[in-house]
């Protein structure tokens, strides 16, 4: 893996309206070009949750231009080095036989499922962004030479990470 070949990561969630969109855009910022990110949903809502856009824009100063809720089926012909599912249900439902990259799982609650007033909802989205940022910071801290040699399913890791 060289700097001219960023690691391709797909964030997969149920609706592709909040968590996966946040992770996609946060890693674009935090990764400084080391990663190419996409997001998709198993049952996409068809639109990004407005609070996702608000938190990315106001809290993180990220303009998520082009963000849209899409199905993982749109990406079937593409290669990803890493797929990160964001909910237990998604991990179980995702047809892994379609892609063979390494898969990671982060069980992250969906802030769009939270019921409360607008301020409480915003706080839930901010909390989700903070939790994702911490995980993404750890991912970014891994040496690219280790990430570039991730074993695929059925392979043994050549060196401990």
């Amino acid at each position: 893996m060289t700097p001219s070949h960023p690691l391709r990561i797909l964030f997969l969630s149920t609706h592709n309206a909040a968590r996966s969109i946040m992770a996609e855009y946060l890693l674009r910022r935090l990764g400084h070009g080391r990663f190419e990110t996409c997001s998709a949903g198993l049952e996409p809502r068809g639109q990004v949750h407005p609070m996702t856009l608000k938190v990315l824009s106001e809290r993180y100063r990220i303009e998520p231009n082009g963000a849209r809720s899409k199905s993982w089926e749109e990406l079937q012909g593409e290669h990803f080095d890493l797929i990160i599912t964001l909910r237990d249900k998604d991990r179980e439902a995702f047809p892994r036989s379609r892609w063979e990259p390494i898969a990671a799982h982060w069980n992250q609650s969906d802030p769009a499922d939270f019921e409360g007033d607008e301020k409480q909802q915003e706080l839930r989205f901010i909390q989700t962004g903070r939790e994702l940022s911490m995980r993404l910071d750890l991912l970014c801290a891994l040496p690219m030479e280790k990430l570039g040699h991730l074993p695929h399913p059925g392979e043994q890791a050549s060196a401990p990470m």
Side-chain angles (χ1 to χ4, degrees):
M1 180 93 24
T2 64
S4 64
H5 296 93
L7 194 71
R8 296 201 69 222
I9 298 179
L10 171 64
F11 293 99
L12 188 67
S13 66
T14 306
H15 302 297
N16 190 224
R19 297 164 297 176
S20 53
I21 298 286
M22 286 179 135
E24 174 184 2
Y25 282 87
L26 287 169
L27 186 55
R28 284 182 187 181
R29 157 99 31 99
L30 296 169
H32 303 289
R34 294 173 56 204
F35 305 96
E36 183 181 327
T37 62
C38 290
S39 66
L42 293 169
E43 302 166 7
R45 286 218 166 113
Q47 64 182 12
V48 177
H49 194 288
M51 195 61 73
T52 301
L53 301 174
K54 179 179 181 177
V55 168
L56 284 172
S57 178
E58 294 178 6
R59 185 77 169 190
Y60 293 99
R61 304 288 183 240
I62 296 172
E63 291 306 322
N65 299 327
R68 67 182 182 89
S69 176
K70 62 190 160 300
S71 172
W72 67 273
E73 292 173 339
E74 288 185 37
L75 306 173
Q76 281 189 49
E78 295 193 34
H79 166 77
F80 293 96
D81 300 297
L82 177 62
I83 295 175
I84 300 174
T85 56
L86 297 170
R87 190 174 194 169
D88 288 338
K89 177 181 147 187
D90 302 330
R91 178 181 59 184
E92 295 162 9
F94 179 60
R96 290 273 320 276
S97 61
R98 300 287 176 105
W99 284 307
E100 287 300 323
I102 290 299
H105 176 65
W106 299 345
N107 193 27
Q108 181 77 42
S109 63
D110 189 346
D113 290 342
F114 178 76
E115 293 185 21
D117 65 31
E118 187 174 342
K119 186 62 178 169
Q120 291 170 322
Q121 251 194 348
E122 183 175 359
L123 290 173
R124 185 58 59 110
F125 275 80
I126 290 169
Q127 176 185 351
T128 298
R130 188 171 36 247
E131 291 168 2
L132 286 168
S133 288
M134 289 187 311
R135 288 178 167 172
L136 294 168
D137 280 339
L138 292 172
L139 179 65
C140 289
L142 293 171
M144 282 304 281
E145 61 272 8
K146 296 286 187 192
L147 291 172
H149 295 93
L150 288 173
H152 289 271
E155 293 179 354
Q156 293 285 333
S158 58
M161 290 175 82

